[in-house]
Structure formats: structure tokens, C-alpha cells
Amino acid sequence: MIDDRLRPFVERVWNYHRLDHDLVRSDAILVLCSHDTRVAEYAAQLFSDTWAPRLIFSGGLGAITKGLFTEPEADRFAGIAIGLGVPADCIIIENQSTNTGENVQFTRQLLAARAIDARTFILVQKPYMERRAFATFRKVWPESRVCVTSPRVSLDQYLSGYANDALSAADVVSIMVGDLQRIQLYPDRGFQIPQPIPDEVWLAFRELVAAGYDRHLVEPVRD
């Protein structure tokens, strides 16, 4: 798993990424799809618990899943939800997006094209993507209300059971580190609203990069 010396840094980054919003009944559940199909199971449960009358799956094939899946992420997630009892006519599929910004932008365009008036959303993602998903949504669709949620699991549970079988715990930590760098860089690029990063979280980032968890960085880390 994770080296004992590095574990506190991994936990610090994991905890920072999670927002722990309270759920609010909304017009739609918007799932930002990925390699983690258990997010689809969680979203189907939210629908079954009547948190929203629509379930939207957004995702084509991204940098990771294009090497894992043979169909768009959204189609795979929708199939899982239907298998768990979600009616197909309550599901909307957006399967062209390749990144988080496109997830939100393309979904907004699709709903407008279908004249669907949805203004409040439950945004569903992996636990370590909560903060970046929220920051992106607020930038792309600022006039809509959003709360963010993810499967309620611990770091250990996620690393041992929630990562895709093709991804190791080290892969997942590298993705977490890359997402943290995106939170730092993307506001200046116009992709997200700013999110404060505490000094101790950025220290953890630098320690993990130095330890080799750098495969999903946007750019090299400068001294």
C-alpha cells in the first residue's frame, strides 16, 4: 500500500479534496464519469432514495479510461444504473466530454437543447475529486446551485476496493496529487474558481511529488 512515512501526506491531500456537503433535493443528479464505476452505483442509490428525478451521466473517454474502456464512460455508467433499477427514461447521457470542464459545459448545452429546466444539482464524483468538480462547476455554471457528494468511504477502503482493477494504489495517489496541482493552476487558466490551499496541504503535495507520485501532473513542479 502506502509507505508509512508518506501516509500522513496522502491522508492530508485526501481530506483536503473532500468537501462533505450536505445533500439537498435537487432537479438532477449529475455524475461526472471516470474509471471508477462504483460512483455509478452510488449515484443510482441517490436516485432510488429520491434525491432528484433525473440522473445525468457525463463522460466520453478521458486520458485514463481511453486505455481501459471500449465504450464512453457515460454509457457504461448508465448501463450500471439501469441494471440497478433506474428507469432508462430517467437517465440522460452526455458522452462526448473528455475533461471536467467539458462535463459541465456539454451537459449544460445538452439540457438547453432539450429544453430541460434544471437549476439545482447534486454533483457526484470520486471522493478525491469533490473539490475540483465543485470549483469547475461554479466556474462554468455559476448561476446554478450545486452540492457535491461521493461514495462515503475511507482512504483505506478506497485504495483497497474502489480503484479500478487496472489502477494500483500508487496510481490513485498520483491522480490525487495531479488533481491538487490542477486546483492550484486552473483558476489562472480560467477553468475553475479559486480554492485556498493550506500550507500543510501544499507541503504534502511537494513531499508526494518528490516521492515519485508525479505521473498525472499538468506541468513539472518548480523549486
Side-chain angles (χ1 to χ4, degrees):
M1 292 291 282
I2 304 300
D3 181 274
D4 288 344
R5 185 186 73 82
L6 297 174
R7 183 178 180 81
F9 301 125
V10 176
E11 290 178 341
R12 201 176 298 169
V13 172
W14 167 269
N15 291 334
Y16 172 75
H17 280 309
R18 296 183 64 172
L19 295 173
D20 295 319
H21 286 169
D22 292 330
L23 289 175
V24 179
R25 296 194 185 278
S26 300
D27 296 327
I29 299 166
L30 172 55
V31 184
L32 307 189
C33 303
S34 66
H35 62 272
D36 186 353
T37 56
R38 273 165 267 203
V39 172
E41 298 171 10
Y42 177 65
Q45 185 61 54
L46 293 177
F47 177 87
S48 298
D49 291 342
T50 68
W51 285 103
R54 295 186 184 92
L55 187 50
I56 306 168
F57 291 107
S58 175
L61 286 173
I64 295 173
T65 53
K66 66 183 178 183
L68 300 175
F69 296 168
T70 58
E71 61 182 332
E73 299 163 1
D75 293 83
R76 176 165 291 203
F77 275 43
I80 292 168
I82 291 169
L84 292 171
V86 178
D89 60 1
C90 293
I91 293 176
I92 296 172
I93 294 174
E94 182 290 298
N95 61 11
Q96 300 301 306
S97 54
T98 60
N99 58 55
T100 307
E102 288 183 353
N103 288 147
V104 182
Q105 179 185 355
F106 291 1
T107 297
R108 182 176 187 175
Q109 293 169 351
L110 179 60
L111 295 183
R114 296 188 182 185
I116 296 173
D117 185 19
R119 303 182 185 183
T120 58
F121 294 87
I122 297 172
L123 196 62
V124 185
Q125 247 292 1
K126 304 180 293 297
Y128 61 85
M129 271 288 292
E130 285 192 14
R131 186 177 293 274
R132 188 158 79 89
F134 173 77
T136 302
F137 188 99
R138 295 293 299 140
K139 181 67 178 183
V140 177
W141 208 339
E143 65 272 25
S144 290
R145 189 198 74 199
V146 63
C147 62
V148 184
T149 189
S150 63
R152 303 289 87 185
V153 294
S154 68
L155 172 63
D156 285 339
Q157 287 171 324
Y158 192 89
L159 292 179
S160 64
Y162 275 68
N164 186 284
D165 291 341
L167 297 176
S168 68
D171 292 325
V172 173
V173 174
S174 289
I175 296 168
M176 288 170 50
V177 169
D179 280 350
L180 181 53
Q181 188 189 46
R182 285 164 175 77
I183 289 171
Q184 194 247 358
L185 294 176
Y186 278 7
D188 287 343
R189 301 184 184 187
F191 300 156
Q192 298 176 5
I193 64 167
Q195 298 279 283
I197 302 176
D199 290 343
E200 63 270 19
V201 173
W202 197 245
L203 171 63
F205 166 85
R206 298 188 72 89
E207 289 284 349
L208 292 171
V209 169
Y213 294 101
D214 58 357
R215 294 189 298 279
H216 292 275
L217 296 178
V218 179
E219 61 183 44
V221 175
R222 300 180 180 87
D223 292 332

